[in-house]
Amino acid sequence: MPSSNPCVPRSPTALPCLLGLLAALLLPLLVAPPAAADDGPGPPAGWTARPAGGGSSGRDARPYVYLEGTASTVLQDRLSVTNPARTPLTVRLRGDGRAGPWLRFAAETVTVPPRTRADVPFALAVPGNAVPGGLAGEIVAAGGGEEKRVRVRVRIGGPTLTALTVEDVEVSGRTIRYALVNRGNAPLRPRLAVRADGVFGPLLDRPARPLPLELAPGRRVELTEPWPDAPALDSVTVRLKVVAEGGAWDEAAASAAYVPVVPVAGGGLLVLGALAVLGTRAYRRRRDRRNRRDRRDRDGPMTGPPTEGGPPTQNGSPTETGPPPTAQAVREDRQRDDKERPLAKTGAES
């Protein structure tokens, strides 16, 4: 019975059948898919920005840029920008983050030819007042409608100085105001203790507690401390003590007097009223004395013979017995009135 498989090699016609089957199996393997970079004209696609060196375009590329130095030094490295497309790629470079302002590039705008990698040198200038420790930043590369970021880590060496001061302490009502200044080159997390003493002993004693802030080097911050149970009548001295890591500490004090307003105002009104009464009385006495003196000067000395069986008269009216007042007596009375006048005037003005 003849076989139903046409490709069984039993005759000279089987060889062409085998060749056709083999060609059908190998054809998909011989035709390669087009590369992503050969898409033709258009915006560049697939470009990268990485730290240069160490297999910058492969699996062993550095994950970030690491620089280490001291204050007032310049640290250098390179950035690799790879353009696999058929069109040129223009990239703009800038720094970002805490270390961003310290970054400088050989060219802030770089044009990378097609299918080319460009290594761009850059430098990081560490300021002279840089604080020892670590900080981070980024290199931002923007081009072709995309943005790539490369991390930068910086380690700054050198001695660490911790110092702080407490300034401008002021006690106002139920609030204590003060300022903290970081005088060193390291960040500080301060702790505050408060104590207040009055005339008869302690009024406030708060142990040291952490403040909710981190004081950067050279930073000044103004703070307040509430005192809800401040005294109503006392003379107090408030002392603030601030400590931080690294042995940094300082203390300062301020004094204040607490006096109730209503009793003081009432006492002042009573004093003013008493002075007014005394002044009014002195003024009236002075006025009466002046009136009597004016009448005596106007009437003149006594004339006419005395009436029979009675005191001497003037113009028919009884007068006091005795000789008439002399000019010397009148002057003495005036001098006596002038001496008493300043006291009366002072009481009236008060």
Side-chain angles (χ1 to χ4, degrees):
M1 183 176 178
S3 174
S4 61
N5 190 349
C7 296
V8 175
R10 293 187 178 182
S11 65
T13 60
L15 183 58
C17 183
L18 290 176
L19 293 177
L21 181 61
L22 183 61
L25 294 174
L26 295 179
L27 183 61
L29 300 178
L30 294 178
V31 180
D38 297 335
D39 293 338
W47 65 276
T48 59
R50 298 187 179 95
S56 58
S57 61
R59 186 176 53 185
D60 298 331
R62 291 185 291 165
Y64 52 82
V65 176
Y66 179 79
L67 302 171
E68 185 174 354
T70 58
S72 302
T73 58
V74 177
L75 312 177
Q76 299 181 0
D77 207 324
R78 293 178 302 155
L79 177 73
S80 289
V81 180
T82 303
N83 178 22
R86 288 184 174 181
T87 56
L89 171 68
T90 300
V91 177
R92 293 178 299 278
L93 304 175
R94 61 180 176 88
D96 196 12
R98 293 183 60 187
W102 302 351
L103 290 170
R104 297 293 183 271
F105 301 92
E108 295 184 354
T109 301
V110 179
T111 299
V112 185
R115 301 180 181 273
T116 306
R117 187 186 74 193
D119 290 344
V120 183
F122 67 89
L124 187 145
V126 183
N129 60 348
V131 179
L135 71 159
E138 290 181 322
I139 297 175
V140 181
E146 297 182 68
E147 185 177 271
K148 312 290 184 179
R149 291 179 175 265
V150 180
R151 292 179 295 167
V152 178
R153 294 184 179 178
V154 185
R155 182 69 183 177
I156 303 174
T160 301
L161 174 64
T162 57
L164 62 84
T165 57
V166 184
E167 302 176 358
D168 300 336
V169 180
E170 178 185 355
V171 183
S172 176
R174 302 178 184 274
T175 304
I176 304 171
R177 294 181 173 85
Y178 63 99
L180 296 181
V181 184
N182 187 344
R183 303 292 183 181
N185 61 4
L188 299 177
R189 294 179 177 86
R191 299 170 59 87
L192 173 68
V194 184
R195 179 180 176 86
D197 295 307
V199 176
F200 301 103
L203 300 173
L204 180 65
D205 191 3
R206 296 177 182 173
R209 75 179 193 280
L211 296 176
L213 61 91
E214 181 177 280
L215 202 59
R219 182 187 175 192
R220 172 190 172 92
V221 59
E222 296 182 355
L223 302 171
T224 59
E225 182 74 8
W227 191 7
D229 52 349
L233 177 62
D234 207 340
S235 178
V236 302
T237 299
V238 177
R239 292 179 176 86
L240 304 182
K241 184 176 181 180
V242 181
V243 298
E245 61 274 12
W249 71 278
D250 191 25
E251 61 181 0
S255 299
Y258 288 86
V259 180
V261 177
V262 176
V264 172
L269 292 176
L270 291 177
V271 172
L272 291 177
L275 292 176
V277 171
L278 293 176
T280 301
R281 290 180 179 179
Y283 173 75
R284 289 177 178 177
R285 286 196 300 267
R286 176 189 172 196
R287 183 188 61 186
D288 295 342
R289 190 179 296 110
R290 184 187 301 117
N291 292 337
R292 289 195 300 268
R293 185 183 59 190
D294 292 342
R295 286 197 302 269
R296 186 168 57 246
D297 294 342
R298 184 177 62 252
D299 294 341
M302 182 181 63
T303 60
T307 60
E308 181 178 359
T313 60
Q314 179 179 351
N315 299 330
S317 299
T319 60
E320 295 180 358
T321 61
T326 62
Q328 179 65 25
V330 173
R331 285 196 299 270
E332 290 178 355
D333 289 341
R334 291 181 178 180
Q335 291 177 357
R336 189 181 306 109
D337 292 342
D338 293 337
K339 290 181 180 180
E340 295 175 356
R341 186 179 307 167
L343 179 61
K345 182 179 181 180
T346 301
E349 290 177 353
S350 300

